[in-house]
Amino acid sequence: MRRVVVTGLGCVSPCGNNVKDTWENVKNGVTGIDKITLFDASGHSVQIAGEVKNFSLDEYNLDRKLVRKMARGTKFLVGASMEAVRDAGFTLPTETDKGNFVGPKCGIVTGVGIGTNESCEDAYKRLLNPAFGATKVPPMTAPMIINNEAAANVSILLNMNGPAWTLSTACSSGTDAIGLSCDMIKSGRVDVCLASGADANITALNLSAYAALTALTPNYNDNPKIACRPFDRDRSGFVMAEGAAVLVLEEYEHAVARGARIYAEVAGCASTSDAYHITAPCVDGHWGAEALKMAMEEAGMKPEDIQYYNAHGTSTHANDSSESALVKTVFGDYAKKLHISSTKSETGHMIGAAGAIEALICVKAMEEGFVPPTINLDNPDIEGGCDLDYTPNKGVKCDIKAAASVSLGFGGHNGAVVLKKI
């Protein structure tokens, strides 16, 4: 069996526009959640989100006309991909003639949850505005509103001729992108693959829709920094966020042959479906637990082999309670000794990018031997079954040899990944 390793990392998030800044803020419990500035949210019941701030692609010397034709989420993915590819030791096309990340053995899989809705909303506003009308929809609207646009742009910019795939499994999309990327490498279809997630979802329609579901917290508009509080008894919903994250995955021998730095090995991946409800998770987290069990079995690991679990931890009552049950099912008595945290408390819920950035955080946690905190966890919801060690408010040092992350999406999608030091 071909082994899969992580050789590069890149991200754009509410906590920072690169890996270094994002990790430092997550590690130190600094949240990127604040009042919405992308549009006037004063009339909405929810007025906060995790926005990407002051982001630019200028450092990559891309054609400005090309950048203007990209949707917001695509720009995030391009930036995260460029950082990750450079971090992996490859050269970019803007740094040499064609770069060296080329050919049919290089691919990308991008997970999206909401995807290009911001482009759709902008186009509809013009379409329905009498001052513009049907003939005044911007000419690049069509390519900007199809969900494969982000992965396609990255493949074009990096001269990759391998598969450029987009998948959507709601909030587990980023994790499932890692699983599919691993499958392609193990099968020999590619030697290198960008496993990624991206979403730019902070729009008036999305905010209204998720608020109508009572999925978002309406209680902290005046104090956004404490709004996302996973596993806390005062949690009242998740906080929408945007961004992108990319892991350069590579076949082990290929990485060794080119002298690449190896961050970690992707030891196991799995996906399941609850087949239960379109928005609610299984109360006992059974099928999420099955996904994690399968990923651990592929990795050849027992519960006590894993030191850190990055929780989906959305700060909704249903998710946090069912996920706590999931952890107890998989880890048994060891669950009480397991280091757990939900870094959504800092980043917010990046939907399609959530699983990818949380796997990236697992890699950084292993690299530095540090468990990041779950902030705003002041009163654990013991009665709701949230009675584990979620690393409240302050991170801790720990020799992490292996880490796991689970993503749980609307529709009952469950994705799990297990990573280990090599």
Side-chain angles (χ1 to χ4, degrees), residues 6 68 95 124-125 175 180 214 252 280 328 361 367 392 399:
V6 182
R68 282 198 298 270
E95 295 169 334
Y124 267 116
K125 287 174 186 175
T175 300
L180 182 53
T214 66
Y252 173 73
K328 293 170 189 175
I361 288 168
E367 181 187 36
D399 181 18

Side-chain angles (χ1 to χ4, degrees), residues 25-277:
N25 282 321
V26 166
K27 186 169 125 179
N28 292 307
V30 179
T31 183
I33 296 167
D34 213 329
K35 299 285 280 188
I36 291 172
T37 65
L38 291 171
F39 61 92
D40 181 5
S42 60
H44 290 254
S45 61
V46 177
Q47 300 168 11
I48 60 173
E51 294 180 347
V52 169
K53 308 161 191 74
N54 304 315
F55 174 70
S56 170
L57 288 170
D58 288 351
E59 69 174 286
Y60 298 108
N61 300 315
L62 302 177
D63 185 307
R64 292 191 177 187
K65 290 183 179 179
L66 179 65
V67 172
R68 282 198 298 270
K69 295 175 182 177
M70 294 179 186
R72 182 175 172 84
T74 298
K75 294 174 186 177
F76 296 156
L77 184 65
V78 168
S81 298
M82 294 291 190
E83 181 187 15
V85 168
R86 184 185 279 171
D87 183 52
F90 294 102
T91 57
L92 301 174
T94 52
E95 295 169 334
T96 62
D97 181 26
K98 286 191 174 182
N100 60 4
F101 195 71
V102 298
K105 288 291 190 175
C106 297
I108 179 171
V109 180
T110 301
V112 300
I114 299 174
T116 57
N117 275 24
E118 95 283 353
S119 297
C120 288
E121 286 190 43
D122 289 344
Y124 267 116
K125 287 174 186 175
R126 293 179 68 93
L127 180 65
L128 300 176
N129 187 335
F132 296 107
T135 61
K136 295 298 183 180
V137 171
M140 289 302 292
T141 296
M144 289 176 73
I145 65 175
I146 50 177
N147 277 335
N148 72 307
E149 188 242 5
N153 268 285
V154 172
S155 70
I156 292 167
L157 288 169
L158 292 175
N159 297 316
M160 296 188 297
N161 300 117
W165 288 348
T166 300
L167 64 81
S168 184
T169 50
C171 311
S172 66
S173 299
T175 300
D176 287 336
I178 294 171
L180 182 53
S181 297
C182 286
D183 287 347
M184 287 206 296
I185 292 172
K186 289 175 181 178
S187 72
R189 178 172 291 197
V190 296
D191 293 325
V192 185
C193 195
L194 302 188
S196 57
D199 255 327
N201 45 53
I202 304 171
T203 70
L205 176 59
N206 289 333
L207 197 74
S208 297
Y210 280 85
L213 272 177
T214 66
L216 302 180
T217 176
N219 294 344
Y220 299 95
N221 289 335
D222 295 328
N223 198 353
K225 303 300 182 186
I226 67 169
C228 191
R229 39 197 323 108
F231 308 107
D232 190 86
R233 71 185 182 197
D234 295 323
R235 69 193 186 277
S236 53
F238 76 82
V239 178
M240 190 171 285
E242 61 181 359
V246 178
L247 293 84
V248 177
L249 302 187
E250 193 165 350
E251 193 274 323
Y252 173 73
E253 297 294 345
H254 186 276
V256 170
R258 69 179 186 87
R261 173 195 52 205
I262 295 175
Y263 281 107
E265 180 174 359
V266 184
C269 297
S271 298
T272 61
S273 295
D274 288 349
Y276 171 70
H277 193 275

Side-chain angles (χ1 to χ4, degrees), residues 306-365:
I306 294 173
Q307 290 77 42
Y308 174 51
Y309 174 85
N310 187 290
H312 189 60
T314 59
S315 190
T316 66
H317 280 279
N319 174 90
D320 295 359
S321 293
S322 66
E323 188 173 15
S324 295
L326 177 166
V327 171
K328 293 170 189 175
T329 297
V330 174
F331 291 95
D333 293 339
Y334 179 70
K336 294 283 187 179
K337 301 177 181 178
L338 183 66
H339 291 284
I340 304 168
S341 63
S342 171
T343 49
K344 285 185 178 70
S345 57
E346 291 93 356
T347 65
H349 192 351
M350 293 165 59
I351 315 293
I357 198 163
E358 285 153 18
L360 183 154
I361 288 168
C362 284
V363 171
K364 294 299 292 182

Side-chain angles (χ1 to χ4, degrees), residues 285-306:
H286 174 79
W287 289 105
E290 288 298 306
L292 182 53
K293 285 179 183 177
M294 288 190 285
M296 289 169 60
E297 183 178 353
E298 182 181 18
M301 290 186 183
K302 304 182 295 296
E304 56 268 24
D305 294 328
I306 294 173

